[in-house]
Amino acid sequence: MPVSVHSVIATNPTTPLSSNLSHRNIPRRRIGSTSVKCSVETTEAERLVKLKNGNDSLEICRVLNGMWQTSGGWGKIDRNDAVDAMLRYADSGLATFDMADHYGPAEDLYGIFINRVRRERPPEYLENVKGLTKWVPPQVKMTSSYVRQNIDISRKRMDVASLDMLQFHWWDYANDGYLDALKHLTDLKEEGKIKTVALTNFDTERLQKILENGIPVVSNQVQHSIVDMRPQQRMAQLCELTGVKLITYGTVMGGLLSEKFLDTNLTIPFAGPRLNTPSLQKYKRMVDGWGGWNLFQGLLRTMKSIATKHGVSIPTVAVRYVLDQPGVGGSMIGVRLGLAEHIQDANAIFSLVLDDEDVNSIQEATKKGKDLLQVIGDCGDEYRRI
């Protein structure tokens, strides 16, 4: 049945709504603690989340391996080295991979990887491996045959009978063909070619419209970080009311939220690390919109203090903070397969507990910046506003 959620959208979209939400789903914060070391064992319940809508459900790891970095711009990817790295991530418990039809060879790499899993790992191992992909079509008429053809391409590339998740993106809301596409995707789900249907970069208004049309999406993938808290101002309450989860990307801002950029001055040529990847360049623009590099340095110093206190890295703190936000099911960390590895830092996220002192320090640092909802607009507007 269609979901009625007309009362969700606040009349003033700039007023944070998350203060009214129950925090029953994020009990991990230790009240009054002054120091928490990452030495405790984590349970499967802490590592996994079930994305669910009606009869549709998919259990994924809460820290996802993002494969945008395979598409070029981050260094040349060797196929064999990349697949070996995917196996190491999966063996460590980080067995959810996020990709897209336009991420270069990402879907093909997953197909090679999943075949190695079938050959080299026990059958029960496959139950934990999840491959999430995206479809980003041109703005053409969304017929059943056109949708089916494109989904079949991803199924063939990933070498799976059924996609674990298909996350759908649409460029132009003035063209309501996205509803046709999602209905055809739902039909393919009923046929067993897709296990769950989801969204990427949809705003709150359109997510509400999709749900009211009875389309059972389980998640919406959006940009969300300590700097970019837009999803908490409108989207999170809709998610809390409907059960749709947020999967976040840009959570470590392409690597800007790390020790590498602490105490650096990018205004002096060649004085600091180079912004030499598409993700670093993208999220540097977010920093500029939020308040600039000097203000960002203050945030990094706060993050470093918290990271040192817990014996972890800045990126680990950054992801944990976002995972603790209402509505968030999982967070992405980009993987440069065969070029760099952060398995230890990623697994440390599950045992990190941020206490009230940590949270208050982060909030004090971030509130000095601008409200990106005012600067950019709602989730996904960065892709639609000129």
Side-chain angles (χ1 to χ4, degrees), residues 253-274:
M253 304 188 73
L256 290 178
L257 282 168
S258 69
E259 283 79 0
K260 180 178 179 180
F261 289 91
L262 178 64
D263 296 327
T264 59
N265 185 351
L266 298 187
T267 63
I268 302 174
F270 310 111
R274 295 172 59 200

Side-chain angles (χ1 to χ4, degrees), residues 22-95:
S22 169
H23 287 253
R24 63 187 179 278
N25 292 325
I26 49 172
R28 306 183 75 258
R29 189 171 300 156
R30 186 169 298 172
I31 305 301
S33 174
T34 58
S35 179
V36 183
K37 297 295 182 183
C38 291
S39 58
V40 298
E41 291 293 324
T42 60
T43 66
E44 284 302 295
E46 291 173 313
R47 299 181 66 94
L48 302 175
V49 63
K50 183 170 285 188
L51 310 178
K52 186 174 174 61
N53 191 330
N55 294 324
D56 300 342
S57 67
L58 185 73
E59 192 170 64
I60 65 170
C61 181
R62 293 201 74 197
V63 175
L64 299 89
N65 305 312
M67 294 179 67
W68 181 30
Q69 283 78 357
T70 66
S71 61
W74 287 264
K76 185 177 180 180
I77 298 290
D78 177 87
R79 185 184 71 177
N80 293 330
D81 290 346
V83 174
D84 286 344
M86 293 175 76
L87 283 167
R88 288 193 295 274
Y89 275 93
D91 287 344
S92 78
L94 302 167

Side-chain angles (χ1 to χ4, degrees), residues 1 5 15 86 135 158 161 178 196 213 240 270 274 322 366:
M1 294 291 291
V5 285
T15 301
M86 293 175 76
W135 183 39
M158 296 172 67
Y178 64 90
T196 54
N213 273 268
E240 289 282 289
F270 310 111
R274 295 172 59 200
V322 170
T366 56

